[in-house]
Amino acid sequence: LSSGVRDTLESVSFNGANGICGGASQDILYSADSGATWRVAQKNFFGGGFPSAHMISPTVGFVAGENSIFQPIIGTTVDSGAHWTFQTFYFQGNEGSCDDIFFFNSSIGLVSGVIFDGSGALARTTDGGTNWTTTLYANGMQGIDFPTPEEGFAIGWSGTILRSDDAGLTWQAQSSGTSSDLHDVHFASDGLTGIAVGASGVILRTTDGGELSSLALTAAASRMAQFEIELPLTGTPGVECRSGGANRHYQFVFTFSNTLTSV
């Protein structure tokens, strides 16, 4: 298909038949026929670009990235991508680039970013992008996905995975098991099954919302000598049918998802 531009294209998002596409040199394309044809909303700016896009309805969409003087920037359309308004800001006074964007509605949204020194940021707005509250992180932050209105995930460099249970107000770290830079993340609507992809061909997958990457009890048993009776964590309870002896002592064995460092 003819894009109408010569710059690298970096992001795409559709809602129904209407879609938007962002690229280098702050290019923006839009389509009204499920991508069969594309029109150019703007192109050929000096520097910057839009590596992230999010279409939240057939008419309302956002792009995010960096402008010509290294400021984080977001663009908003209310007519399916034909026309755009732009707002620039800083990550707590720091220059950088927005790497992903997610909006819940026309007012509340988040961006992830990488600051000029390689550290990261997650910024949240409640007024459509006019004002932002930013939290800084040691590593660059890249992909964002919210499979439910409350639960979301953000990933970044050095294997960083963060999870939010309050629509991005606060974030908790999860263990990814890798030190590779992670670039993008996507979850099914159940908030449990998801994948994250990164450098060196790394692909991570979870079916429990990443919970087993933190500390979780996975099995229990009652042990006497070398014989154990399983104590299931769910379903029909296990029964310890043996005596604990004169002192009524029993030994229980608990298995966790990760190595314990202290008890």
Side-chain angles (χ1 to χ4, degrees), residues 65-67 70-73 90-91 94-98 114-116:
E66 184 180 75
N67 70 2
F70 312 114
Q71 291 175 296
I73 183 175
Y90 289 101
F91 294 125
N94 296 285
E95 296 176 335
S97 173
C98 301
V114 178
I115 296 173
F116 68 93

Side-chain angles (χ1 to χ4, degrees), residues 2 8-9 34 49-50 92 95 115-116 166 189 193 230 262-263:
S2 173
T8 300
L9 299 177
S34 301
F50 298 112
Q92 283 192 14
E95 296 176 335
I115 296 173
F116 68 93
D166 55 11
S189 59
T193 303
E230 184 181 1
S262 63
V263 177

Side-chain angles (χ1 to χ4, degrees), residues 155-171:
I155 54 87
W157 295 356
S158 300
T160 300
I161 297 182
L162 305 178
R163 175 176 175 170
S164 175
D165 294 317
D166 55 11
L169 286 170
T170 60
W171 297 86

